[in-house]
Amino acid sequence: VQLQASGGGAVQAGGSVSLSCEVSGGTFSDWIMAWFRQAPGKAREFVSATSWGGASTKYGDPVKGRFTASRDNAKNMVYLQMTNLMPEDTAVYYCAAGDVSLAAMNGAENAFDYWGQGTQVTVSS
């Protein structure tokens, strides 16, 4: 199973960035798909988790109301639309895939078996 994240870049505060993650191998529709991020010198942080059918998504408190996660099971793709970005959103963003579980939907890192390589998002003030 491979996850390939893309779409990161540099943006000014208040701007928007969209991330994509392509998944190959395995059965995409079986998994909960999540986004995490890690800022320099900080622990990895939960961003979002989307259920297998896409009907349910949970978000970490820092991004609620600003980020929108979605998935396309026909294309094996997961997306993260980020708006009203702030400098504290600067981080490497990772997509992850995990078996369906309450822990995964609640953003527990150890519930995810497969991880992408990460894509950098830098927000300047």
Side-chain angles (χ1 to χ4, degrees):
V1 178
Q2 291 187 326
L3 286 73
Q4 181 72 41
S6 61
V11 65
Q12 289 189 327
S16 301
V17 170
S18 294
L19 305 182
S20 299
C21 177
E22 182 176 12
V23 182
S24 57
T27 305
F28 180 76
S29 58
D30 284 350
W31 295 323
I32 289 173
M33 295 302 302
W35 290 94
F36 290 81
R37 67 185 183 183
Q38 188 166 22
K42 295 187 176 182
R44 194 149 55 186
E45 178 183 41
F46 169 69
V47 174
S48 69
T50 302
S51 63
W52 68 273
S56 177
T57 299
K58 287 190 177 181
Y59 296 94
D61 287 341
V63 308
K64 283 181 180 177
R66 300 186 299 121
F67 290 12
T68 302
S70 61
R71 64 189 291 167
D72 186 335
N73 285 355
K75 296 181 179 179
N76 286 10
M77 296 287 295
V78 61
Y79 307 98
L80 185 67
Q81 174 69 32
M82 305 184 290
T83 63
N84 192 21
L85 283 161
M86 301 182 289
E88 47 265 47
D89 294 317
T90 295
V92 176
Y93 284 73
Y94 299 90
C95 54
D99 290 332
V100 175
S101 70
L102 184 59
M105 277 305 297
N106 287 331
E109 278 192 54
N110 59 9
F112 293 91
D113 298 313
Y114 307 106
W115 293 80
Q117 85 289 359
T119 184
Q120 176 72 45
V121 174
T122 302
V123 185
S124 59
S125 58

